Amino acid sequence: MTEVIGVKFKSEGRVYFFDPDGNQLSVGDYVIVETARGTECGTVAESNKLVSDSKIIKPLKKMVRKANDSDVARLKENKEKEKQAFAACEKMIVSHGLDMKLVDVEYSFDGSKILFYFTADGRVDFRDLVKDLASSFHTRIELRQIGVRDEAKMLGGLGICGQPFCCARFLDDFQPVSIKMAKEQGLSLNPTKISGSCGRLMCCLKYEQDAYEYLWSFTPRVGWSVKTPSGDGVVMDSNPITGALLVRLNDSEAAPIKVMRDEVRVIRKSKQPKVEEAPVEIEE
């Protein structure tokens, strides 16, 4: 076990572990840490705690120090500069006639680099744009193309459930989702019903998938032949949550009967119609 603190650099970003170096920190404290991108100022999202060594990416870097008032003032100043850089970059994109959408701007803590995030349908030749930005801001410029899921994560918003986007609230990484999950969970396959604001399949389809896979492992599916207390029949409808089945008895014109999965025995499993999985783009 190792003592760590969890640090965030963006409100919607993931939490990174650092060695507190003997300091006792509280959630909300600002700290200066050394990252792969250089020195950064982050916010403590998780106070001192012990975590398993398997959850740590080694080598675990130590925090440099607790941020002072000057550091916090610089952080706020960078936020204001980001707004100005965003407006300036948008004007340059229009003047160059580039088919791209600027999403966010991020200043490094020491101001040595400005990172511009954008979306585009394809590849964009932004070499002239980079030159103009560099001559305007006199610092290192980096443009990074992101996907629509990352855009939703950065901008935030409300989902069809009425809650803030999961990706902007608590998801660190995007999990693969497929149309098969919606079918397994008995949801409508209408794209407008199972797609998020980003246009991709909703991340929440992944949340209950393991539970549905477990329930379906011992629940007869539609089309399966089963033996019931009233005779043999074919499953017409199946609810994996309640375990209720609707079975039409063989050689009977009566309405299907309702039985529970514990009351039946599977005679034959019929093949399920193949569901063509829609390709889902997962961005880093």
Side-chain angles (χ1 to χ4, degrees):
M1 302 290 283
T2 304
E3 184 181 13
V4 300
I5 54 171
V7 178
K8 272 189 173 185
F9 301 101
K10 296 176 73 70
S11 59
E12 73 283 353
R14 65 184 300 176
V15 176
Y16 297 88
F17 288 147
F18 288 90
D19 183 346
D21 197 22
N23 296 285
Q24 191 65 37
L25 298 157
S26 302
V27 174
D29 289 345
Y30 290 100
V31 292
I32 304 298
V33 293
E34 195 68 34
T35 71
R37 294 166 54 180
T39 303
E40 293 289 345
C41 181
T43 308
V44 176
E46 298 177 7
S47 57
N48 301 59
K49 66 176 184 179
L50 293 175
V51 299
S52 171
D53 292 338
S54 61
K55 296 183 179 180
I56 296 175
I57 300 177
K58 295 184 179 181
L60 182 65
K61 294 187 177 181
K62 294 182 179 181
M63 61 169 280
V64 177
R65 57 180 172 82
K66 192 172 181 178
N68 53 36
D69 293 340
S70 176
D71 296 322
V72 175
R74 176 187 288 186
L75 193 64
K76 293 180 179 178
E77 182 183 353
N78 285 346
K79 295 297 181 184
E80 292 300 317
K81 288 182 178 179
E82 287 171 358
K83 295 178 183 179
Q84 299 172 9
F86 190 98
C89 185
E90 278 194 319
K91 292 180 180 178
M92 293 182 187
I93 289 173
V94 173
S95 65
H96 283 282
L98 297 175
D99 187 15
M100 56 191 286
K101 176 186 175 184
L102 186 63
V103 176
D104 197 15
V105 177
E106 183 180 315
Y107 259 79
S108 63
F109 180 65
D110 58 5
S112 61
K113 183 176 71 172
I114 311 177
L115 185 58
F116 295 85
Y117 296 94
F118 71 94
T119 59
D121 291 335
R123 295 180 63 86
V124 178
D125 184 359
F126 48 71
R127 287 173 293 183
D128 291 338
L129 175 62
V130 171
K131 292 178 183 178
D132 287 352
L133 289 170
S135 62
S136 177
F137 294 103
H138 306 289
T139 189
R140 181 184 169 193
I141 301 295
E142 182 178 338
L143 268 71
R144 183 174 299 175
Q145 186 171 355
I146 61 175
V148 290
R149 290 199 172 207
D150 291 302
E151 179 185 9
K153 183 180 180 71
M154 287 182 174
L155 299 181
L158 295 178
I160 59 174
C161 59
Q163 295 289 321
F165 293 161
C166 295
C167 57
R169 224 179 348 152
F170 59 85
L171 289 182
D172 289 337
D173 298 303
F174 293 115
Q175 297 296 319
V177 288
S178 68
I179 199 71
K180 181 181 178 182
M181 293 180 182
K183 188 176 188 303
E184 289 273 303
Q185 297 171 32
L187 301 176
S188 167
L189 299 185
N190 185 336
T192 60
K193 300 290 186 181
I194 57 177
S195 298
S197 300
C198 61
R200 298 290 189 266
L201 294 173
M202 294 188 296
C203 295
C204 55
L205 291 175
K206 179 69 175 178
Y207 300 165
E208 299 178 359
Q209 183 60 20
D210 290 343
Y212 273 94
E213 289 179 357
Y214 168 72
L215 291 171
W216 278 123
S217 68
F218 56 86
T219 302
R221 297 177 180 256
V222 173
W224 287 16
S225 297
V226 295
K227 181 179 288 295
T228 74
S230 302
D232 297 351
V234 178
V235 177
M236 307 300 294
D237 193 19
S238 178
N239 188 323
I241 303 296
T242 64
L245 308 175
L246 204 60
V247 179
R248 181 180 296 280
L249 298 177
N250 298 337
D251 303 324
S252 174
E253 296 181 359
I257 62 172
K258 182 179 179 180
V259 294
M260 302 304 291
R261 62 181 164 220
D262 296 337
E263 302 176 298
V264 307
R265 180 171 62 85
V266 176
I267 300 175
R268 186 176 67 255
K269 299 179 181 179
S270 64
K271 291 184 178 180
Q272 293 292 302
K274 185 177 180 181
V275 178
E276 184 177 350
E277 297 188 16
V280 180
E281 182 180 346
I282 302 297
E283 295 88 8
E284 295 295 333

